[in-house]
Amino acid sequence: MKHVRHFTPSFFLSLVHVCLVQANYAPYFFDNGGRSTNGNMALLSLSEDTPVGTHVYTLNGTDPEGDPVTYDLAYEAGSRRYFSVDKNLGNVTLIEELDREKEDEIEVIVSISDGLSTVSEKVRILVMDANDESPEFINTPYIVHVPENTPSGSSIFKIEAVDKDTGSGGSITYFLQNIHANKFTIDRHSGVLRIKTGVTLDYEKSRTHFVVVIAKDGGGKLRGDNKVFSATTTVTVNVEDVQDTPPMFIGTPYYGYVYEDTLAGSEVLTVVALDGDRGKPNSIHYSIVNGSEGSFEIGNTTGAISVIKSPNQLKKEVYELKVRASEVSQEGDVSVYAFAMVTIRVVDLNNHPPTFYGENGPQNRFELTMYEHPPEGEILRGLKITVNDSDQGANAKFNLRLVGPGGIFRVVPQTVLNEAQVTIIVENSAAIDYEKFKVLTFKLLAIEVNTPEKFSSTADVVIRLLDTNDNVPKFSSDYYIARIPENSPGGSNVVAVTATDPDSGLWGEVKYSIYGTGADLFLIHPSTGIIYTQPWAILDAEVNSKYNFYVKAEDTDGKYSLAEVFITVLDVNDHSPEFNENIQEKTMIIGSPVKIEAIDQDAEEPNNIVDYSIMQADPANVFDIDQSTGEIKLKSYIRSLDIIHNITKNKDCIWSVVVQAKDRGSPSFSTTAVLKIDITEETLHKGPMAAFLMQTKDNPMKALGVLAGVMGIMVLITIMISTAMFWRNKRSNKIMPVRRIIKKRQSPQSRTVRMEWLKLKRPSNAAEKFVVEDDAKSLHNENSNNNIQVAPMPPTAPLPPPPPTLAPRGEAPGWRVPTVSGSLTPKFINKQLKKRGHGSAHNALVSELKMKFEKRNAAIGEPHI
């Protein structure tokens, strides 16, 4: 369909002259047919197993004017988006998994546009089938009830399975497991289950049959491979009982004894018969057919045989009675019957021990095969044991007991008179364990009770056990600890776990598997239990050295047990030692060591223990290095720079030393570095400042920082002192003299007195006063300053005139030193103040005071020094 560009009337009115407008033709798709891989996707078919992300088609079209075109895909509302398209290239990619069984056709709206016109088409994409579905049985579970008289070859059930696939992948064929040991057969195509030809069902032998049916599809392609899927189910066939079996006597052969003291009417023995059809049994009626000769009778319903004559009236020692057991239906009809022979002996002396009988006569060994763990209270019906004592009366009374592993079976009856059917009953099912005893052996002991002879006899009872799946696989340990080097390649064996299942056959086969968050890097062999690393696994002890996960041991019936596995990745020496960054230059003071340090990133010792050594130094034999700590020091004979200058012509005392850091792993790795050592002597100035400067020689920024801090503190102290002096001077404007002027008394010897004028001292106050006194006795100033020096005078020197008298404080002084506001500072402080720019002011103040004082002394004729 072509689209034409439209223009509004205003557009034509705005034109100055008439222009010929050319029509715009719409773009269109190429239609290359259903088998083409480019065009408009019409009749495209895709297999449902096409992987997501596959480039499945290329939209291809053109514009008549040659304009570039773009492509797009759209879907109906509510539809799933299965494809995406590159708008420029037209490449169509599958983005959603296909499933033909859910959606076999996909409708997509494809469009092509040249920017002005868009052409859209709805196309239908066919999803082709792949054999990705397994057969499924319907209407399970299958339970069938079949009468035991059903003829062989009869169909008893139809099994039905469906497969959602089409073609050969959807066709189903039926099979039976263990076809040769099975009583049934199945039609391969229809699934009809039949009884095998020539085979009959017997309720008395087996009441239930389990038939395993396999449904298999015809196979088909799936992702390029031919796949065949199957499914299994179990059909339970319950056999129903019908009246087809005659009665059965229990405890045959029967033996009874009539003793000489037996009373007429006494019970000799009881015969028991049961309907062979246990599902719906009929009642049993007993009768004596022949052999009694009028001496014995039998209870019609009880089966108890009694003697009706006294023993002395019995003419024979042995009577053979033929007893009939007849089944009587609910309607009262006799349907079937069975016969048993009963032997009755007439005994009068205790001359026979108890004797055990089997089906074929006397027997001293009885064997039985049975499954382990039978229900408690179950009778061992496979043992046909009769015990008999041929004596009569008390001589025929004896006890029965089992001798062997206790508490497993018990024997009934425990006390027997004449004869009894021996019944062995299960008492402890747990002890009947195939894994503990494959064969159980007992002694059946019969011993007379009230006879002085105490006759006895024994018979061996041998029970052979058959195995059942009654055990869970058990690991040899609750946990396994393994170690593996970190450089082990992928697929390396780590540890072998072992679990045993005591059961026999398939039940004893164990399959291993692992799971847990730590099991990602490991696999386990399902049969041997060997745990090994994934082929792509890379172990690294520095990243993770511990793994733990669980291992599972499971038998064929799904019984399982767990154990925990702990794996330690052993460190391998795979890292070299690395020096720290500040190793390039070191300053060494003679007598003190310098230290280097290297770190090895390995996880364990000795791989991460580093030994240090000097590989090269010029000249050699100058330095020693501590192998463990990395401390480098000079040889003991080098105690000064002079010795070093004698060793080498290098006057700057900077030596390059090649040091090596080597780990103790095997194989060992090492790293070398060039260390420049600046050798200097210890500074002559002691104290913390000198030590600090030496320590910070290699780090000048640290020294500058500390120096700036000290200067700041000094400036702060100076400001505080200046402030204190200012406020003190403000309170007092008098300047006290620093030294007293002392006039010595006249001495018989002439001497010249020399003294310093205005001796300077460290002031303790902001302003000091000058005072003139005539106290010649005092050699100390008012402030206890001893800096005034008095020297002996030469004998020719004239005596000085008397000093002026000092007036009291309340009187006017004879003369006064003019007061000047200021302070005097000692010389050593003046030097510091000069450096700070304050020395000139203090010197001017002192000079002015001195000049005034000298003029005053000249006026009064006082000499000055």
Side-chain angles (χ1 to χ4, degrees), residues 286-293 298 320-326 337-341:
Y286 302 93
S287 61
I288 298 177
V289 177
N290 54 46
S292 71
E293 299 180 0
I298 188 170
E320 297 287 342
L321 306 181
K322 186 177 183 180
V323 178
R324 183 173 66 180
S326 304
Y337 48 82
F339 298 94
M341 297 303 296

Side-chain angles (χ1 to χ4, degrees), residues 72 74 83 98 140 157 184-185 270 281 330 364 379 391 420 427 484 551-552 573 744 767 786 807 845:
D72 198 6
F83 305 98
L98 300 176
T140 57
F157 193 69
F184 305 91
T185 184
T270 301
Q330 295 179 357
N364 59 5
I379 298 174
D391 295 324
E427 192 169 28
I484 182 171
V551 58
K552 177 180 180 182
N573 191 25
K744 301 294 287 184
N786 297 324
L845 178 60

Side-chain angles (χ1 to χ4, degrees), residues 138-148 150-151 154-160 176 182-186 191-195 201 203 206-213 233-241:
I138 61 175
N139 300 325
T140 57
Y142 298 135
I143 300 176
V144 184
H145 298 278
V146 181
E148 64 176 339
T150 302
S154 300
S155 62
I156 60 173
F157 193 69
K158 182 177 181 180
I159 299 161
E160 187 174 357
L176 295 183
N182 215 314
K183 291 180 178 288
F184 305 91
T185 184
I186 192 170
V192 174
L193 187 67
R194 290 184 173 87
I195 302 175
L201 303 180
Y203 177 87
S206 179
R207 300 181 183 182
T208 304
H209 299 273
F210 299 99
V211 182
V212 179
V213 180
T233 190
T234 300
V235 180
T236 302
V237 179
N238 293 323
V239 181
E240 295 180 344
D241 191 24

